[in-house]
Amino acid sequence: MRDVAVIGVGMIKWGERWESSLRDLFVEAALAALDDCGLDRVDALYVGSMSPGLFTGQEHIGALFADYLGLAHLPATRVESACASGGLAFRQAFLEVSSGLSEIVLAAGVEKMTDVDGAEATYVLSTAADQEYESFHGITFPGLYALIARDYMHRYGLTREQLAAVAIKNHAHGSHNPFAQFPRKIDLETVLNSPMVADPLRLMDCSPITDGAAAVVLCPLERARELGKKKPVKVLGSGQASDTMALHHREDFCYFRSTAEAAKRAFEMAKIERERVDFLEVHDCFTIAEICVLESLGFFERGKAGSAAQEGITALDGKLPVNPSGGLKSKGHPVGATGVAQIVELVHQLRGEAGERQVKGAKVGLAQNMGGTGASSVVHILEGC
Ligand code: COA
């Protein structure tokens, strides 16, 4: 395997994008990534998308997107792993370059979720849970994460205020992100007074329904300076793992085994210890998810990540900044695009171009992206060159 670098990144404004179709969102992000590295061609395309068919009626998006990008005839592949589709698309692109099969590969993620109403979006998302044991019986993702939150509160004494601290922090970070869907600061009162979605999770504990896309360009590290225009960012480690689909089949609701295993593999490949990681982008689809993920990744002891948010340890100016982009909570969560956008944020941070949300002295960043309640997870570790 050869070393791989990210040489171009493209992010677009996320939110309710009525004026743009699914393919428009992809093309806008892909052109931004190509422009960022000054290239007009790639050798292959991977695109992560969870459910374009149910959200918009459009399947077969690999070939369609290559064509609309002006690059028909490319090997173009759609990758699906629920909300981890984007992270997995990035991993497939990494593997293709690393293996020597291709020189320049575009990895993108896209989802257009607002063309259906809220109830329909909830149904489409629920197809990523276990149909026979979970969705058929009426449980939704807010409901599943509410079960996790209740279990965590019971076992570790997590308070409602500590859960809220995750949302307040991520909205504060997102207020510096021009691409975020909800770039506004919120306070404790806003969270505690927001409508109940699934007890104990309120509206402000949930990631929103979002239209969006993101894209990155990868090439061999040894050609990164010749092919790109900006400082390359090296992919140090990549890990993927899975777990039981149904929550009730797990020994422990609050520990995402797939995340722990994916992280173990990524750190083994990277050959570094956790102390070297300066900041993280993690999958905060609900406030409780950020807490459980940080513990599953091994950055906090069990039961401690909630108080870490309240004490400012995971804030931009804290000891270990988490979700400087605003995370899924503030930036938005167009499910298939999220994992790629995490990589975009890592690259902006590691190049030192994140503006007001810059993590000072950031050299190594970690991205964790997961599907459903963690039935699939992908972890990547990147280093600025
Ligand atoms: N965070 C902050 N504000 C939000 C928000 C969110 N997650 N979701 C909606 N809003 C805002 C809207 O902009 C709107 O504000 P306005 O009245 O000023 O225009 C208001 O809150 C109500 O929005 P609406 O779209 O009517 O909300 P909803 O009740 O239809 O949906 C949720 C809210 C939480 C149910 C929905 O966003 C959701 O299902 N989120 C979870 C998505 C999910 O499960 N993803 C997969 C994770 S595994």
Side-chain angles (χ1 to χ4, degrees):
M1 286 178 75
R2 56 185 177 171
D3 287 336
V4 175
V6 180
I7 54 169
V9 293
M11 183 70 191
I12 63 172
K13 177 71 182 168
W14 284 8
E16 207 164 342
R17 294 282 307 260
W18 289 107
E19 79 292 356
S20 303
S21 70
L22 181 74
R23 72 188 72 178
D24 293 339
L25 295 172
F26 162 78
V27 169
E28 191 182 334
L31 287 179
L34 289 170
D35 185 52
D36 191 50
C37 54
L39 295 174
D40 59 8
R41 63 163 194 93
V42 296
D43 302 320
L45 162 69
Y46 286 91
V47 58
S49 194
M50 177 190 147
S51 203
L54 290 177
F55 279 124
T56 70
Q58 180 68 62
E59 297 285 9
H60 206 173
I61 61 171
L64 178 82
F65 287 179
D67 180 17
Y68 272 79
L69 192 58
L71 297 172
H73 317 300
L74 280 184
T77 310
R78 170 181 159 202
V79 176
E80 190 278 315
S81 191
C83 306
S85 301
L88 198 55
F90 178 76
R91 180 172 154 86
Q92 297 309 309
F94 162 73
L95 294 174
E96 180 146 344
V97 175
S98 181
S99 70
L101 198 62
S102 291
E103 287 295 285
I104 309 167
V105 178
L106 182 71
V110 65
E111 210 77 56
K112 183 151 178 60
M113 302 169 74
T114 70
D115 285 359
V116 296
D117 65 24
E120 184 72 9
T122 301
Y123 159 73
V124 175
L125 289 166
S126 79
T127 62
D130 187 314
Q131 287 296 295
E132 292 186 21
Y133 284 113
E134 294 176 325
S135 312
F136 283 178
H137 303 281
I139 193 133
T140 60
F141 275 110
L144 287 163
Y145 277 94
L147 289 173
I148 296 172
R150 275 283 167 232
D151 186 34
Y152 192 109
M153 287 169 135
H154 174 70
R155 287 164 62 183
Y156 300 112
L158 177 81
T159 64
R160 207 16 288 196
E161 287 71 18
Q162 288 170 340
L163 263 185
V166 175
I168 296 165
K169 164 184 74 73
N170 289 347
H171 271 269
H173 294 176
S175 69
H176 302 302
N177 187 344
F179 302 112
Q181 180 173 8
F182 292 117
R184 58 171 184 247
K185 290 187 180 167
I186 56 171
D187 58 16
L188 184 60
E189 208 180 321
T190 317
V191 182
L192 299 187
N193 291 334
S194 63
M196 185 64 80
V197 175
D199 194 9
L201 303 178
R202 294 177 174 274
L203 178 73
M204 289 297 157
D205 290 294
C206 305
S207 59
I209 304 295
T210 313
D211 301 333
V216 303
V217 179
L218 301 94
C219 77
L221 180 64
E222 61 184 16
R223 295 194 62 201
R225 289 192 193 276
E226 161 209 340
L227 291 170
K229 288 195 296 193
K230 297 183 180 166
K231 268 199 296 191
V233 169
K234 181 180 174 187
V235 183
L236 280 185
S238 173
Q240 178 190 354
S242 52
D243 198 353
T244 68
M245 179 77 90
L247 198 56
H248 69 263
H249 282 141
R250 306 216 185 128
E251 276 172 30
D252 189 337
F253 278 18
C254 305
Y255 185 74
F256 298 125
R257 184 82 191 270
S258 65
T259 289
E261 295 290 333
K264 185 166 167 270
R265 288 168 197 165
F267 275 106
E268 274 169 14
M269 187 187 287
K271 296 190 181 64
I272 61 165
E273 299 299 323
R274 281 169 180 66
E275 292 65 36
R276 286 272 314 280
V277 174
D278 299 308
F279 70 100
L280 301 95
E281 281 286 311
V282 303
H283 199 95
D284 59 322
C285 51
F286 298 92
T287 46
I288 186 63
E290 176 170 312
I291 292 168
C292 297
V293 164
L294 289 175
E295 294 171 12
S296 307
L297 285 170
F299 284 90
F300 290 92
E301 276 176 45
R302 304 292 304 275
K304 301 285 188 213
S307 52
Q310 206 174 26
E311 289 159 14
I313 295 170
T314 51
L316 205 48
D317 57 356
K319 201 169 150 221
L320 184 66
V322 175
N323 283 325
S325 71
L328 285 54
K329 178 69 207 70
S330 163
K331 188 176 60 193
H333 185 26
V335 284
T338 285
V340 179
Q342 291 178 328
I343 302 293
V344 172
E345 179 68 12
L346 255 54
V347 171
H348 281 310
Q349 292 285 350
L350 295 171
R351 284 178 183 167
E353 55 187 35
E356 284 188 79
R357 61 179 200 284
Q358 180 67 46
V359 175
K360 287 201 185 76
K363 292 194 173 60
V364 175
L366 180 148
Q368 176 269 354
N369 182 208
M370 64 184 181
T373 48
S376 56
S377 285
V378 197
V379 172
H380 286 100
I381 304 168
L382 272 60
E383 182 181 37
C385 295

